[in-house]
Amino acid sequence: MSKRENDSKRGRNGRAAQLKLAVLISGSGTNLQALIDACAEPDYPARISLVIANKDDAGGLARAAKVNIATQIIRHKDFAEREAFDQALSDALEAADIDLICLAGFMRVLGATFVEHWKDRLINIHPALLPSFKGLHTHQRALEAGVRIAGCTVHYVRADVDVGPIIAQAAVPVLPGDNEDNLAARVLKQEHRLYPLAVELIARGLVHVENGRVRIEEADSRAEDAALINPPPFG
Ligand code: GAR
């Protein structure tokens, strides 16, 4: 949504309308929790209308229920074809009049028809600095590769897995003695900062996809001197 479009969707109080989010989960939902917490702030320009899980035991369902967010379970196992599962998701999202879908540890690959239908209204968080380490076991592979900086990425979803215009990234150092678990925990902590930031930028109409890449109004120039160097320089 452009800034102008969002500005034109003003509520009775004169504030820009809040972006209606759906969050899709498969697991514990700590990123969902970060979005719930952000949406609880009065000035945050989005709210969560719907949480969908593809599994009954997704822990995030309880997080949503606790704050009275509508939840649905759409089990991929109930559908013989991926397209029928995707269509059921789409129908639920359309019925809830969703502006932006946030994949938050949603461990099903969505088909090209779904992705095209929701193009630029569908974002994902991935626990690596894309385009490095797409797919699963990202932290193990980052450790094996010996990278000194790891991180996470929020990006618009395209038909290929973990591909699409990058909205925001956060970087963390890889430290001596790291294993998969503590590197994952260090990255996850930053995911919880990054996802609400990315959603806020979109909701404020500051994110533009141009020629397959993202331009962000206002923010980019502020990052000019930011650097994470690992190992840290002397002095
Ligand atoms: C997060 O680390 C997220 O980046 C990752 O799953 C975890 C979900 O945790 N997503 C992927 O690997 C998708 N390719 P959460 O359920 O606690 O938010």
Side-chain angles (χ1 to χ4, degrees):
M1 183 184 300
S2 74
K3 191 167 188 296
R4 191 180 305 154
E5 275 172 325
N6 199 32
D7 284 350
S8 71
K9 281 177 84 178
R10 286 181 186 278
R12 274 191 219 135
N13 57 8
R15 284 185 179 171
Q18 290 180 310
L19 209 63
K20 289 177 76 174
L21 310 178
V23 184
L24 272 52
I25 59 168
S26 301
S28 67
T30 64
N31 277 291
L32 165 65
Q33 188 66 54
L35 291 169
I36 290 173
D37 294 345
C39 290
E41 296 295 324
D43 289 334
Y44 194 74
R47 67 187 161 87
I48 302 172
S49 298
L50 179 62
V51 170
I52 301 179
N54 65 316
K55 297 161 67 182
D56 297 76
D57 61 355
L61 288 166
R63 298 177 188 273
K66 195 172 170 191
V67 289
N68 296 316
I69 294 171
T71 60
Q72 284 190 37
I73 302 170
I74 302 178
R75 299 172 193 86
H76 62 277
K77 285 185 175 163
D78 289 347
F79 298 86
E81 310 285 340
R82 184 216 303 252
E83 289 71 21
F85 171 67
D86 288 0
Q87 189 59 53
L89 283 180
S90 236
D91 291 347
L93 294 160
E94 297 279 10
D97 196 24
I98 295 303
D99 296 316
L100 181 71
I101 305 165
C102 303
L103 305 181
F106 186 69
M107 303 311 265
R108 300 300 299 173
V109 175
L110 295 161
T113 305
F114 181 97
V115 169
E116 187 56 34
H117 179 76
W118 293 97
K119 189 176 180 190
D120 296 344
R121 297 181 291 159
L122 172 61
I123 64 175
N124 179 46
I125 189 157
H126 181 73
L129 292 171
L130 292 174
S132 294
F133 308 119
K134 297 168 186 158
L136 300 175
H137 309 299
T138 52
H139 304 299
Q140 187 59 40
R141 288 187 289 131
L143 290 168
E144 282 166 10
V147 297
R148 292 198 172 269
I149 293 177
C152 50
T153 303
V154 178
H155 64 98
Y156 285 107
V157 174
R158 294 294 184 260
D160 291 329
V161 174
D162 298 327
V163 168
I166 291 171
I167 302 162
Q169 294 184 303
V172 301
V174 179
L175 300 178
D178 267 352
N179 58 33
E180 201 177 341
D181 289 342
N182 57 21
L183 180 56
R186 194 175 306 124
V187 171
L188 190 64
K189 201 168 162 187
Q190 299 311 314
E191 293 184 44
H192 298 160
R193 298 174 68 193
L194 193 69
Y195 219 175
L197 170 65
V199 169
E200 178 166 1
L201 290 168
I202 292 169
R204 293 194 187 284
L206 300 173
V207 177
H208 306 278
V209 182
E210 295 169 354
N211 300 320
R213 296 194 307 189
V214 163
R215 177 175 64 83
I216 301 179
E217 283 176 49
E218 299 167 21
D220 286 346
S221 60
R222 285 190 281 127
E224 195 169 64
D225 294 322
L228 171 62
I229 303 176
N230 185 33
F234 293 105

